[in-house]
Amino acid sequence: MAGQGPAPPMSVEQIVHQAEKFEYNPLVPFRHWSRSAGTLLKEADIYESEGNDQQAYLLLFRHARLVLDNLPTHPEARSGGNESTLHQLRKDVLRNFTRLETLKPRINKRYDRYQWILKERSQAKTVNDRSVLLSPGRSENATDKRGYSRLPSDPALSNGHPETLTAGENRDLAVQLAHKEIRRRATARKATRQAGISEEEEHERRTAGLWGDWEEALTKNDQSIDQELLSKQMHNVRLQVDSTKDDVPGHASSQDLPESNRAYYRYPSVPQQTSYDRSALQMSAPRTNSDTLGELATPTLKPPLRPPKDLGLSIDSHSLPFRQDKEHIPRIQSPDQSSTSNPAQQDRQPTTFTFKPSAYLENGTPLRTIFLPPDLRHRFLSMALSNTRANLETCGILCGTLISNALFISKLVIPEQESTSDTCETINESDLFDYVDGEDLMVLGWIHTHPTQTCFMSSRDLHTHCGYQVMMPESIAIVCAPSKGDWGVFRLTDPPGMKSVLNCTQSGLFHPHAESNIYTDALRPGHVYEARGLEFDVVDLRPAS
């Protein structure tokens, strides 16, 4: 299906108004909000690299609002190591103020041009209407000559901005795009680490701007963070856009929070792995086996020189090597994918189009598409087989990345864990995020088994998943019931599911909730699409038994 033009461009004032529309709830543990802040920056980096200035500005502004206005008032802000975490988050905000000021004129220029085109269209329509009244017999072609009908149908599209595509009807394109872009990012990340850049500098460069433009985007500042200066800068940004600030629902001070309301659950985690083999993503330069080529073994733009005839070398010894890394064949391919693939689509870049939201929350918030490898659950069940036979649950983490406004699950991580017949607790939770950040991944949800029970979301599952969905509304929970041959993909409703779970003070393993529609299917229908041929890696971090 052909794409259509995107929504009209927004002004900075409108973007700020949208950025401030998020629900902050201090009952959510501080560690999840700090992870949400990190996720916002990752998404902003990707949107900016793809030329989506509007969404990048929205996410950067929302990040600043969360860090400067909300997190300092969190009940856990001064406990444990949260003070140092908050200090680092403030440093990120300070660096991002420069990015906000860089994006602002570009957004205003596009919005002003759109307004100008609307004005020209309105004037042309007025002249045309007058002409019709004066000359009723004029043909429609005359209207065309006046220029009105030749005005672009979508100003954003006429300015070279991406067309929008329906995810469900463009799965093959999505798979091709994911394979190409994920490999490109992995290669860039590997080259950066081989250059000897420290993890701290890598974090600073990532939050300072684009991955491929670090040297220009990063402005080093060793001065101490002045909280008053940050607040003033944030206030000035709001004054410049002259927007009306809405009160954030659920914002409460720490004094208003009863101690009983602070229920905690342990969430799936992944210990850090340093020996993970990513050799499949490495690109090596081709080399010749001929001894007579000598210094010409280094790849050049020109073909190697032809050797003298008397050397007796075969033609095959000088033929170009097979470039197997150039055209990567997916591990799993749809039967009709090779026959229906459009060659023109293979060269498309993330900046040339964007996937439309495929579903909406109950409150109207759009949900980006999640592309799920169909074979992922089968691989997971095979790895969980020994636990399933022993009537023990198994859990895994769904990780991936953002490309063209869609989310792609590209890695299944099996963490070290302790299990019972009804629960699965991971070990070393903090190591999960070290691993995710090290691989530049985003947590998109989790998967677990019900060895003997049916496919449903238990009360414990609901509380566990709430932590994921706070970090990202699109997060999903996959439940597999192998004994019943059933499985499902779920999310909490919002409302009433999210609010009900967040405000629940019950701590039992199984307890009822008042709402009947507390969660819903995310696959049939929903924002999750299975995409045949979508590659994924499996990382098993459980100790060898």
Side-chain angles (χ1 to χ4, degrees), residues 415-436:
E416 186 177 358
Q417 53 199 264
E418 296 177 347
S419 303
T420 70
S421 59
D422 299 313
T423 64
C424 181
E425 302 287 354
T426 60
I427 303 173
N428 301 323
E429 181 187 35
S430 61
D431 289 341
L432 164 64
F433 300 116
D434 292 337
Y435 179 83
V436 169

Side-chain angles (χ1 to χ4, degrees), residues 9 49 82 84 93 113 116 120 155 214 250 279 295 303 321 327 336 379 391 399 406 411 441 456 473 501 519:
S49 68
N82 292 339
S84 61
V93 172
R113 173 170 173 77
W116 177 84
E120 291 293 306
W214 278 356
S279 59
E295 300 297 328
E327 297 294 338
D336 59 348
R379 290 282 302 276
N391 193 25
C399 299
K411 186 165 294 188
L441 294 167
F456 72 104
V501 175
Y519 69 94

Side-chain angles (χ1 to χ4, degrees), residues 197 315 419 516:
I197 297 175
I315 296 177
S419 303
S516 58

